[in-house]
Each structure stands twice: as structure tokens, then as C-alpha cells.
């Protein structure tokens, strides 16, 4: 079953008839998907549904066999390398934080600034202009680490490391932020802050989140897309998705109670 999306004017990302074939296994199958500017979208689905492959295609890690991936008004991302796509304004946050633990929180943000460098040391020795310094300080406040820029990044809690990596994408001024399972391993308090952080980020840029935790998905209170066998099964609010019999059958389980569904 395939959901056909007609991309409206002004979409920031549009995937049309995208198929990714891994030796006969179609991780994405004739997928149509789009998001608007400043939209926060959550994608859910069972294992093997194609969620991470969706992010891989948008970020350039995986090239599809067929289809188009349009970013912004006219830019086709097919055939472009990951670093080129990142420079166009697509930032990706992986499930496991990738930070420099021996550097300070602020130095991690400095390394992420979209400016030429010859390496880590050259970047850290380069002088920041006023706009760049302001951007870093604003980002520290946004991610909840204001006043802690001088701390060693390796000493942060798991949740704080996740926030720092989100900040490392923010300072790059990405227009589209891809986030893969951001609350895995977090405390309840960290999970709540992460939801607030992503909502705040989405006021200025589009945010695409892959997540399994349905309580967290509900806390974001935005549009949800359900993937199944590499295609879009349905879209809507959390309540609409959880009431959909197709979702209950293929993702949540036909025989599970409503209470179990609500916490799946």
C-alpha cells in the first residue's frame, strides 16, 4: 500500500517515487514524502520500515535506485555527497552523540561552524567574528547549557551530550534538521527538555524526528508519519494514527489493548 503525496508550493524537502534496493530488499519502495518549512514531523514505524533509510537518502549517505529528492525550491540532492548536502542546509543528528569529549562545550560548537578550516587545531585557533560568537552563546542558551560553555564535553550527562550535538547542528544554520531517536537512554526530565528543545528549534527551521517512544511523540504534538515496508502508510495527529486500524495491525499489533497501544 502506497500513500501518494502531492508536494505543495513551499515544501523544504520532497521525495518523489524514491526506491532504495539493497540486494532485492526494498528499504524504501516508491516513497512519496514531503515537509514544509518550520514544520516538526515525527516518523514512526516497525523495524525495517525504512525510517533510518529515509534520513540516509535525504542526507546523501544512501543513493536511491529511482526517484527524486528535492530540497528547497529546486535543488535535487540525488548524486550529491554528504558534505555538499550539509553545506546546502541539511543537518543530521545521529542516535549516538558524536562529540569531542576532551574539548569544551563551546569548542565543540566552534568546530561545527560552517567556515573553512585546515583541521581541529586550525579551527580552534581561528578568530571568531562577533556574529559567530553571538550565535554560539545563543545556541548554548537554546540547548540549556548556558554558562557551561567552558566545561569539558565528556563530563556532560547522556542527555546533555545529545543537546550539545543538536546545538552543533543549530550553529551550522541548517534549514532542515534530521534527528534519529533523540531520547533513547534519557531520564524523564531529560526527555521533557528534549521535547521542548525540538519544539523551540522548529520555530526557525524544519525538524524531522525518527522515534519509537510514543509518549515522547505525543509530547511533541505535531504531525506523525507512519512508514511500513518502505512506503507511507498514513499520516495525521498521534490520536489519528493510533486509531488507524492499519497502524494497529502492522505496527502496534491487532490484538493489543488500547492501553498498550497508547504506550507502544
Amino acid at each position: 500500500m502506497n500513500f501518494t503525496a502531492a508536494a505543495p508550493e513551499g515544501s523544504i524537502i520532497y521525495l518523489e517515487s524514491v526506491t532504495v534496493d539493497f540486494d532485492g530488499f526494498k528499504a524504501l519502495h516508491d516513497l512519496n514524502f514531503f515537509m514544509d518549512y518550520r514544520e516538526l514531523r515525527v516518523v514512526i514505524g516497525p523495524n525495517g520500515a525504512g525510517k533510518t533509510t529515509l534520513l540516509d537518502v535525504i542526507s546523501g549517505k544512501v543513493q536511491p535506485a529511482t526517484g527524486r529528492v528535492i530540497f528547497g525550491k529546486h535543488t535535487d540532492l540525488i548524486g550529491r555527497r554528504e558534505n555538499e548536502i550539509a553545506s546546502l542546509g541539511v543537518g543530521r543528528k545521529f542516535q549516538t552523540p558524536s562529540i569531542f569529549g576532551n574539548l569544551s562545550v563551546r569548542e565543540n560548537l566552534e568546530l561545527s561552524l560552517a567556515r573553512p578550516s585546515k583541521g581541529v587545531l586550525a579551527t580552534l585557533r581561528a578568530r571568531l567574528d562577533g556574529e559567530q560568537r553571538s550565535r554560539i552563546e545563543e545556541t548554548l542558551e537554546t540547548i540549556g547549557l548556558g554558562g557551561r560553555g567552558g566545561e569539558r564535553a565528556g563530563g556532560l550527562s547522556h542527555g546533555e551530550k545529545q543537546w550539545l550535538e543538536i546545538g552543533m547542528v543549530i550553529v551550522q544554520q541548517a534549514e532542515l534538521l534530521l534527528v534519529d531517536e533523540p531520547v533513547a537512554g534519557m531520564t524523564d526530565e531529560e526527555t521533557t527538555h528534549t521535547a521542548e528543545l525540538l519544539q523551540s528549534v522548529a520555530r526557525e527551521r524544519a525538524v524531522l524526528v525518527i522515534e519509537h517512544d510514543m509518549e515522547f511523540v505525543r509530547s511533541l504534538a505535531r504531525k506523525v508519519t507512519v512508514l511500513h515496508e518502505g512506503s507511507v502508510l498514513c499520516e495525521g495527529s498521534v490520536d489519528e494514527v493510533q486509531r488507524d486500524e492499519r497502524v494497529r495491525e502492522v505496527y502496534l499489533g491487532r490484538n493489543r489493548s488500547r492501553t498498550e497501544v497508547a504506550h507502544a
Side-chain angles (χ1 to χ4, degrees), residues 19-29 48 65 229-230:
T19 294
V20 174
D21 192 320
F22 294 127
D23 296 324
F25 171 71
K26 289 183 170 56
L28 295 179
H29 181 57
E229 296 182 348

Side-chain angles (χ1 to χ4, degrees), residues 33 35 41 43 54-55 58 177-179 206-210:
F33 174 87
M35 281 180 59
R41 179 78 63 86
V43 175
L54 170 62
L55 301 192
I58 295 173
L177 174 59
L178 311 176
V179 186
V207 181
L208 173 56
V209 181
I210 303 296

Side-chain angles (χ1 to χ4, degrees), residues 37 54 111 132 151 162 185 212 264:
Y37 284 86
L54 170 62
L111 286 173
Q132 290 171 327
E151 294 185 19
Q162 298 278 23
H212 287 292

